[in-house]
Amino acid sequence: MKILALLVATSALALPASAIAQPADALAEVTAQEERTERVAKQIWDWAELGYQETRSSGLLQDELAQEGFDVTRGVADIPTAFVGEWGEGGPVIAILAEFDALPGITQSNSASRDPLADKHAGHACGHNLFGAGSLTAAIAIKRWLEKTGTPGRIRFHGTPAEEGGSGKVYMVRAGLFDDVDFSIHWHADDENSAAARTSLANRSAKFRFRGVSAHAAGAPERGRSALDGVEAMNMMVNMMREHTTMDTRIHYVITEGGSAPNVIPDFAEVFYYVRHSDADEVRALWERLEATAKGAAMGTGTDVEIEIIHGNNPLLVNETLARMMDGKLRELGGISYTEEERAWAEEMSASLGDAAKPLETASRIGPYSKSLGYGSTDVGDVSWATPTVGVRTATWVPGTSAHSWQAVAASGHSIGAKGAQLAAKAMTLAAVELFTDPDLRSAAREEFDTARGEGYQYESLLGDRAPPLDFRE
């Protein structure tokens, strides 16, 4: 109702009828695809495919685009599940980003109480099934709007795999797939609605593989050199290093291989590290220290170590011109409203959140606009340094839900999640219409972008020249 009220108010300014109808026409195209959004989101949720293994999820999105007349290029950037779909000609090129990978080690039905699924070992705990479906709906709605209005421009759908630790978008940026893109639009699942300008941390990850000498731990310990000792020595030094880092630093790890039996000295062990900071150069400096601990640990334990960088993301470059525009669109639309059945489900879910629970009415509100530092990381960061980029977050989860939780998995497979994806599709569609029709907005956003990057800016990924790690989840 808010958008209709706005259109009525706008008509009083005696604008041409076509200009008044355009946003409403575009929103109608999103509404017409409500069934598609929920169907595609649920199917990708059911599959719950890990990064670089999203064959069916990627294929479904590609097929849906092809059926709508998009020209789909598959397997881009040397990644089998990455693709680009495009429709239109002339005018600005606007990219819609879409993710579709799940997280390992977390599983849940769409029940409001804890209900792990024995036959699944992954889940959409970050809502990327919704991300892919909502972006699909937006891209198709924009395409139909461009076609009906005859507006010059191209809508480009970037199917971006392996956001969770695989940095799929970085390889796509590195391959030049955003070189001719004028603007990029993305969204993400969340427990609230917001278009606030939130930056992110740069990060880099690697697997540190230690190799030693196996021996009987009791009968011949002097013959062994424990690879696990190397891992533990490295971890100890890194944990001491934390005391001497700046406030924005985040370092975390898991031991992914540590041996099989206590009486066998392990000749192989592996630890997987993440390093994050708001400044990419600080990540590089921290990384040198991290590698030094690994080499020192290997030297001290008589083992060898090899290092494989897995992923790396630059921090998100906020464009406030676009963020404020998106904030306005979201406020026109309003938040999420629950049916009685959905509210009962949400109330049961909310009880599991403890002190983190927020009032359910939070889902119906739009959060305040501000610029802040977010402590997560995303490969959208690299896209934002290649082209002016804007995002939005919608309440796909019960208020108070944390990402990467079983509660997020459940809501991502529920009608509440699909409603959030529809809201995101509407916001992205309105933003794209504004960008296609407002040259002053485009100029202002580009000027801010060029100023923020600085004269002579040269893109540098935190991945170096490594090939995509297609097997990192195997």
Side-chain angles (χ1 to χ4, degrees):
M1 295 299 294
K2 291 184 179 181
I3 184 65
L4 293 177
L6 177 71
L7 294 175
V8 170
T10 304
S11 66
L13 301 178
L15 293 176
S18 60
I20 297 170
Q22 282 179 355
D25 288 346
L27 286 180
E29 296 294 349
V30 177
T31 301
Q33 296 181 80
E34 187 171 344
E35 181 278 331
R36 186 204 303 266
T37 304
E38 189 160 3
R39 170 177 55 83
V40 171
K42 187 59 165 61
Q43 182 61 83
I44 296 176
W45 185 89
D46 284 336
W47 285 328
E49 296 173 298
L50 298 177
Y52 296 128
Q53 301 173 30
E54 321 99 328
T55 305
R56 291 177 293 179
S57 302
S58 175
L60 174 61
L61 294 170
Q62 293 174 40
D63 290 345
E64 294 284 339
L65 288 169
Q67 290 169 15
E68 285 286 335
F70 281 72
D71 182 14
V72 179
T73 304
R74 306 167 193 266
V76 298
D78 297 322
I79 302 172
T81 54
F83 66 95
V84 174
E86 181 176 278
W87 190 92
E89 59 184 6
V93 178
I94 295 179
I96 301 290
L97 308 185
E99 298 172 7
F100 37 85
D101 62 319
L103 279 159
I106 188 165
T107 177
Q108 168 70 20
S109 73
N110 63 358
S111 169
S113 58
R114 187 69 171 113
D115 181 31
L117 301 176
D119 60 341
K120 293 179 72 172
H121 303 286
H124 276 285
C126 213
H128 294 180
N129 63 312
L130 302 171
F131 193 159
S135 292
L136 173 71
T137 292
I140 292 172
I142 296 162
K143 174 261 181 182
R144 292 177 178 177
W145 173 83
L146 286 171
E147 189 172 29
K148 287 183 177 180
T149 61
T151 303
R154 285 171 283 169
I155 185 66
R156 190 175 291 170
F157 186 96
H158 286 248
T160 63
E163 189 276 336
E164 296 287 358
S167 292
K169 297 180 191 66
V170 179
Y171 297 100
M172 297 175 77
V173 171
R174 205 177 66 180
L177 295 173
F178 289 88
D179 287 355
D180 65 340
V181 171
D182 292 297
F183 303 96
S184 287
I185 304 175
H186 68 102
W187 80 282
H188 206 286
D190 210 321
D191 71 328
E192 62 181 8
N193 308 296
S194 174
R198 185 162 64 182
T199 63
S200 65
L201 298 181
N203 73 340
R204 179 184 279 172
S205 74
K207 293 182 177 180
F208 295 79
R209 301 186 177 106
F210 287 80
R211 301 185 188 277
V213 179
S214 183
H216 194 295
E222 75 281 359
R223 297 184 185 180
R225 296 293 182 270
S226 173
L228 181 58
D229 284 352
V231 165
E232 291 188 310
M234 177 185 176
N235 292 345
M236 179 184 68
M237 286 189 282
V238 173
N239 287 329
M240 288 188 291
M241 189 178 90
R242 296 176 193 275
E243 184 180 358
H244 310 288
T245 61
T246 57
M247 290 295 291
D248 288 349
T249 301
R250 299 288 187 273
I251 304 174
H252 26 272
Y253 64 86
V254 291
I255 298 175
T256 50
E257 178 66 47
S260 300
N263 62 340
V264 178
I265 294 173
D267 61 1
F268 177 78
E270 180 183 85
V271 61
F272 192 0
Y273 265 90
Y274 276 47
V275 172
R276 308 182 197 243
H277 196 277
S278 55
D279 188 327
D281 287 338
E282 184 66 15
V283 169
R284 294 184 179 94
L286 288 164
W287 198 261
E288 290 182 8
R289 296 170 66 186
L290 190 73
E291 289 197 359
T293 67
K295 294 170 184 175
M299 183 181 300
T301 57
T303 58
D304 296 316
V305 64
E306 62 182 43
I307 304 167
E308 181 188 6
I309 292 176
I310 300 299
H311 91 301
N313 303 321
N314 276 289
L316 194 67
L317 180 62
V318 164
N319 190 296
E320 286 209 78
T321 301
L322 295 181
R324 291 183 182 279
M325 178 271 292
M326 181 66 87
D327 179 72
K329 301 304 178 188
L330 188 58
R331 293 184 190 283
E332 292 172 16
L333 294 164
I336 302 294
S337 60
Y338 296 153
T339 64
E340 288 186 15
E341 183 180 355
E342 288 168 342
R343 186 173 182 85
W345 187 94
E347 287 175 346
E348 182 180 351
M349 173 70 74
S350 186
S352 73
L353 300 175
D355 293 342
K358 302 176 185 176
L360 296 185
E361 288 71 27
T362 303
S364 66
R365 303 169 186 155
I366 309 301
Y369 180 86
S370 65
K371 183 176 180 180
S372 62
L373 171 63
Y375 285 94
S377 303
T378 173
D379 55 8
V380 177
D382 286 67
V383 175
S384 73
W385 288 89
T387 186
T389 300
V390 65
V392 64
R393 292 174 176 263
T394 61
T396 61
W397 306 326
V398 173
T401 297
S402 169
H404 298 198
S405 65
W406 70 261
Q407 291 96 337
V409 180
S412 295
H414 193 268
S415 62
I416 285 176
K419 278 188 171 180
Q422 273 289 99
L423 177 58
K426 290 177 179 179
M428 290 190 292
T429 298
L430 287 180
V433 169
E434 190 76 17
L435 282 166
F436 277 122
T437 57
D438 188 343
D440 291 338
L441 174 67
R442 296 197 299 267
S443 296
R446 186 72 205 192
E447 182 179 356
E448 179 184 340
F449 176 71
D450 290 339
T451 300
R453 290 203 309 177
E455 189 175 351
Y457 169 79
Q458 294 291 322
Y459 171 72
E460 182 181 354
S461 83
L462 285 162
L463 285 168
D465 59 359
R466 72 148 299 151
L470 302 182
D471 60 352
F472 90 108
R473 288 297 192 197
E474 296 178 0

